[in-house]
Amino acid sequence: MKIVHLKKMIKENGLKQWQVAEFYGLNESNFSRLLRKDLPHNKEEKMLAAIEAARVEYGEKGKIEI
């Protein structure tokens, strides 16, 4: 999945990168570095799960559109 799409999903769900990083298991700076290149499939699934978990915890919008 393209990083641009993941960043857009984070923004559309009213989240900040640090909030998703918390659920992904990285600190904010390492998470930012991770988002410099497209992710392999195994990390993509973990990222989508982290975005969903952060949305549930911090977000106020509906479900993620993939």
Side-chain angles (χ1 to χ4, degrees), residues 4 9 18 35 42 58-59:
V4 174
M9 289 171 59
W18 68 265
L35 294 180
N42 62 335
Y58 298 110

Side-chain angles (χ1 to χ4, degrees), residues 10-36:
I10 292 169
K11 187 174 183 176
E12 286 177 350
N13 281 282
L15 299 169
K16 304 292 183 193
Q17 287 185 6
W18 68 265
Q19 293 169 321
V20 179
E22 181 179 294
F23 287 96
Y24 192 84
L26 292 175
N27 63 37
E28 185 178 1
S29 61
N30 287 337
F31 185 78
S32 179
R33 280 189 214 115
L34 178 70
L35 294 180
R36 290 181 184 168

